């Protein structure tokens, strides 16, 4: 197993511009750094994300062999709970515990979604509840007070713990995680966060006692408000919103909870749509393509599969000014920042394998690795970089919490079933001929009729006319052709007459 390479935590992020595009059907948020889109968040009213939602679930199956359980929370697919996400196991990670001793079928259990459903997988759950506020994350079942890892100064960490402890009542019995934004928060702001989160938890507890199973007890804030709670920082230059109604809602929320954001919140009233004005629409369409063009003719090929994502770096038409090694090195260096940006923009998660162009120099390989680590340091999502494998590939993992951009905006092609390839008309012709031979041996019919797409019928009438004549002689039956314009290239029918 490759040792992980630490990512730099002291990277200076460029100023961000946040664009919030709201329609009655969906909310889209784009984060721009140096006028380039690097993050895109989409929430549709018909399918809002579930992460953070709290449900009263019912245990449907306990699987001792997998140390997991399926929980019904009222969705189309049962959700998944693993032993590592059970509260008792999280509180005692060194103890060996069995899920069948904690849960039983038919049991009602309070659960929170920690991963959205992805493809055929149901949502992933945890029984450890956490409620996010502006400055704090409330852990109502825990007594621990933690501090965000992004706050590295030990004196600052201890100071924040002491401030929070002074605001909590004696024997509070609840835990908190202090978020990065709390560094600049006043005691009054921290107290307001404590009061708000305490009230939310009390309401959830009341509902859990009075509502029926498979009920949604708590839903996280809509995306437009989560922008202010989770994305706003001192690095945010401007937040542009193109909906007057939602601008006022965000203003009211910011006034109460995120006062520093009020002055940076603006209503966009341009002649052209917000995303078009900042060239975001074109960037979204580009991000759905496998090819990413870099400078001077080099490019990336990004292929996301169920198991992993592969990224191939190519020089293309780039010819260096000095020698081939220098060309390769410069291409790989440029690719580092493009790859890090594409991971964020496309929201690619799980295992990611990068095939950089082979480098002969160990110094070049190390420099490229450090440049990639630096570029990945801007990512809000947890990334683990494992370096070069024995095959010369770079391996990394990125935490997967929601669907990638392609899954969110696209569906599998009904013609090729998501393969990205179609059988050629010639391949289909030969399939049809084999089927006719097979059916002629099974049934005694007067004639056969082929119904197929125009491309396949044209081939039968032209290049494959001789093979069709030979088939007619071989089976001793006439074969007629009929074009079906509604058929795809792979679709056909052999009719027995």
């Amino acid at each position: 197993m490759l040792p992980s390479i630490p990512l730099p935590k002291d990277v200076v992020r460029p100023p961000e511009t946040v664009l919030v595009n709201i329609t009655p059907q969906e909310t889209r948020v784009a984060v721009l750094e140096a006028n380039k889109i690097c993050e895109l968040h989409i929430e549709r009213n018909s399918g809002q994300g579930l992460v953070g939602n709290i449900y009263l679930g019912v245990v449907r199956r306990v699987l001792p062999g997998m140390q997991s359980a399926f929980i019904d929370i009222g969705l189309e697919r049962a959700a998944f709970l693993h032993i590592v996400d059970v509260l008792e196991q999280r509180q005692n990670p060194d103890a060996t515990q069995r899920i069948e001793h904690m849960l039983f079928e038919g049991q009602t259990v309070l659960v929170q979604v920690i991963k959205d459903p992805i493809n055929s997988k149901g949502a992933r759950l945890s029984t450890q509840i956490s409620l996010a506020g502006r400055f704090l994350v409330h852990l109502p079942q825990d007594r621990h007070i933690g501090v965000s890892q992004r706050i590295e100064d030990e004196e600052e960490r201890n100071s924040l713990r002491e401030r929070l402890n002074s605001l909590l009542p004696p024997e509070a019995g609840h835990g908190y995680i202090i978020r990065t934004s709390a560094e600049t928060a006043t005691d009054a702001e921290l107290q307001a966060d404590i009061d708000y989160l305490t009230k939310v938890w009390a309401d959830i507890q009341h509902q859990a006692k009075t509502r029926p199973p498979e009920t949604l007890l708590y839903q996280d804030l809509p995306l437009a408000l989560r922008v202010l709670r989770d994305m706003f920082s001192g690095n945010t230059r401007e937040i542009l919103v193109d909906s007057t109604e939602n601008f006022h809602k965000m203003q009211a929320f910011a006034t109460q909870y995120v006062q520093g954001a009020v002055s940076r919140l603006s209503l966009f009233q341009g002649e052209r749509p917000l995303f078009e004005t900042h060239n975001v629409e074109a960037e979204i369409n580009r991000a759905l393509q496998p090819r990413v063009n870099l400078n001077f003719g080099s490019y990336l090929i990004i292929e996301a599969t169920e198991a992993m994502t592969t990224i191939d770096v190519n020089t293309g038409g780039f010819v260096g000014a000095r020698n081939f090694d220098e060309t390769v090195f410069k291409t790989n260096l440029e690719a580092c920042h493009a790859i890090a940006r594409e991971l964020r923009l496309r929201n690619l998660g799980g295992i990611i394998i990068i095939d950089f162009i082979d480098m002969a120099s160990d110094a070049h390989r190390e420099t490229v690795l450090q440049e990639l680590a630096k570029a990945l340091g801007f990512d809000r999502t947890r990334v683990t970089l494992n370096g070069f494998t024995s095959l010369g590939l770079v391996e990394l993992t990125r935490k997967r919490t929601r669907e990638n951009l392609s899954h969110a905006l696209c569906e599998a092609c009904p013609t090729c079933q998501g393969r990205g390839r179609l059988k050629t008309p010639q391949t289909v012709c030969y399939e049809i001929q084999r089927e006719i031979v097979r059916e002629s041996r099974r049934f005694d019919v007067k004639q056969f009729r082929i119904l197929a797409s125009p491309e396949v019928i044209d081939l039968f009438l032209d290049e494959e006319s001789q093979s069709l004549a030979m088939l007619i002689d071989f089976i001793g039956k006439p074969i007629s052709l009929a074009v079906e314009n509604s058929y795809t290239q792979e679709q056909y029918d052999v009719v027995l007459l």
Side-chain angles (χ1 to χ4, degrees):
M1 185 175 179
L2 294 172
S4 61
I5 298 167
L7 304 184
K9 296 182 179 179
D10 55 350
V11 292
V12 179
R13 301 176 68 92
E16 295 177 343
T17 298
V18 181
L19 311 178
V20 184
N21 165 237
I22 301 175
T23 65
Q25 297 79 29
E26 67 177 359
T27 299
R28 300 186 299 171
V29 173
V31 179
L32 275 61
E33 293 177 356
N35 294 322
K36 286 187 176 182
I37 178 174
C38 58
E39 288 182 37
L40 182 69
H41 303 263
I42 299 175
E43 184 174 87
R44 290 178 172 167
N45 296 342
S46 59
Q48 287 186 325
L50 305 178
V51 172
N53 288 2
I54 298 174
Y55 295 84
L56 194 60
V58 178
V59 180
R60 293 303 180 200
R61 287 185 67 195
V62 178
L63 307 173
M66 294 176 61
Q67 281 301 288
S68 59
F70 286 105
I71 314 291
D72 200 340
I73 57 176
L75 302 179
E76 183 180 347
R77 293 192 298 268
F80 180 79
L81 173 66
H82 192 270
I83 182 71
V84 298
D85 297 313
V86 175
L87 176 64
E88 291 81 359
Q89 182 65 53
R90 283 198 167 193
Q91 291 177 334
N92 301 284
D94 298 327
T96 302
Q97 304 192 56
R98 304 286 300 177
I99 198 166
E100 63 267 29
H101 299 156
M102 303 175 185
L103 300 174
F104 57 87
E105 291 184 10
Q107 179 183 356
T108 301
V109 59
L110 194 67
V111 291
Q112 185 169 33
V113 177
I114 56 175
K115 282 188 179 180
D116 278 328
I118 298 176
N119 295 336
S120 59
K121 299 176 183 177
R124 183 159 177 174
L125 305 176
S126 173
T127 60
Q128 182 177 39
I129 306 301
S130 64
L131 301 169
R134 169 62 182 155
F135 305 108
L136 305 169
V137 175
H138 186 28
L139 306 174
Q141 304 147 308
D142 207 332
R143 292 176 177 270
H144 172 70
I145 294 185
V147 183
S148 166
Q149 292 182 353
R150 291 181 180 270
I151 303 175
E152 296 182 338
D153 186 84
E154 198 58 39
E155 288 188 13
E156 180 67 17
R157 294 170 68 90
N158 292 331
S159 172
L160 286 168
R161 280 197 190 94
E162 290 174 7
R163 284 179 59 198
L164 181 58
N165 276 315
S166 68
L167 296 173
L168 296 175
E171 301 299 324
H174 291 175
Y176 291 88
I177 296 174
I178 301 171
R179 306 182 73 173
T180 311
S181 54
E183 285 185 290
T184 56
T186 64
D187 286 353
E189 288 173 326
L190 290 176
Q191 186 63 58
D193 228 22
I194 293 169
D195 294 342
Y196 167 72
L197 293 170
T198 302
K199 182 176 180 297
V200 169
W201 175 238
D203 182 58
I204 291 170
Q205 287 182 302
H206 174 71
Q207 289 191 72
K209 294 175 183 176
T210 58
R211 302 289 294 277
E214 303 178 31
T215 299
L216 172 63
L217 305 181
Y218 168 81
Q219 190 169 26
D220 203 3
L221 294 171
L223 179 58
L225 300 185
R226 293 203 307 274
V227 168
L228 298 172
R229 187 190 70 189
D230 300 336
M231 298 184 192
F232 175 79
S233 67
N235 207 42
T236 305
R237 178 169 53 195
E238 188 177 22
I239 302 174
L240 291 173
V241 188
D242 63 2
S243 163
T244 304
E245 178 186 352
N246 285 277
F247 169 72
H248 292 310
K249 288 181 181 178
M250 293 176 71
Q251 228 179 11
F253 183 84
T255 301
Q256 187 171 1
Y257 295 108
V258 199
Q259 293 184 355
V262 175
S263 60
R264 304 183 199 183
L265 199 58
S266 303
L267 178 63
F268 177 79
Q269 295 177 309
E271 293 182 3
R272 296 167 59 207
L274 175 62
F275 272 28
E276 283 190 20
T277 301
H278 291 82
N279 199 37
V280 174
E281 298 289 8
E283 287 291 303
I284 293 173
N285 290 328
R286 184 194 58 76
L288 297 175
Q289 305 301 319
R291 177 167 172 148
V292 179
N293 291 322
L294 306 179
N295 294 329
F296 311 115
S298 53
Y299 62 93
L300 310 175
I301 296 293
I302 301 176
E303 296 285 354
T305 67
E306 185 91 13
M308 68 178 69
T309 297
T310 60
I311 302 176
D312 187 30
V313 184
N314 297 278
T315 55
F318 179 39
V319 179
R322 298 183 181 180
N323 55 53
F324 180 72
D325 288 344
E326 196 69 22
T327 299
V328 167
F329 179 52
K330 286 186 175 180
T331 301
N332 286 338
L333 280 180
E334 183 191 359
C336 291
H337 294 275
I339 289 169
R341 175 172 169 252
E342 292 297 327
L343 294 182
R344 296 170 65 191
L345 175 57
R346 300 174 187 233
N347 194 38
L348 298 171
I351 300 170
I352 296 159
I353 301 295
I354 306 172
D355 185 9
F356 284 106
I357 306 167
D358 289 340
M359 292 171 283
S361 167
D362 290 339
H364 282 178
R365 285 161 62 100
E366 184 61 29
T367 302
V368 166
L369 208 54
Q370 293 305 318
E371 193 70 16
L372 180 61
K374 178 182 175 183
L376 294 171
F378 293 106
D379 205 327
R380 299 180 211 268
T381 302
R382 188 175 74 238
V383 178
T384 303
L385 176 61
N386 294 326
F388 281 95
T389 69
S390 58
L391 297 176
L393 307 173
V394 171
E395 176 188 292
L396 62 93
T397 59
R398 186 173 185 268
K399 186 177 180 182
R400 191 191 323 230
T401 57
R402 55 193 170 92
E403 287 189 312
N404 65 45
L405 185 64
S406 178
H407 284 153
L409 299 183
C410 305
E411 64 180 9
C413 169
T415 300
C416 69
Q417 303 301 318
R419 298 193 312 271
R421 297 286 188 274
L422 283 176
K423 293 178 181 177
T424 65
Q426 191 172 42
T427 301
V428 177
C429 279
Y430 296 163
E431 279 187 12
I432 293 172
Q433 292 181 62
R434 286 194 295 270
E435 182 170 336
I436 289 176
V437 171
R438 185 169 60 249
E439 295 302 313
S440 69
R441 291 171 178 169
R442 294 177 59 199
F443 303 103
D444 184 19
V445 298
K446 292 182 179 180
Q447 66 170 300
F448 291 91
R449 175 173 293 170
I450 299 171
L451 306 179
S453 66
E455 296 83 2
V456 173
I457 298 299
D458 286 346
L459 201 63
F460 270 128
L461 294 172
D462 189 12
E463 295 176 30
E464 297 301 328
S465 59
Q466 186 175 354
S467 67
L468 183 61
M470 291 171 62
L471 176 62
I472 293 171
D473 289 341
F474 179 74
I475 64 173
K477 307 286 183 183
I479 299 174
S480 60
L481 305 173
V483 172
E484 284 289 344
N485 290 310
S486 61
Y487 279 17
T488 65
Q489 189 165 291
E490 293 186 352
Q491 191 177 0
Y492 66 84
D493 285 305
V494 174
V495 181
L496 284 61
L497 300 173

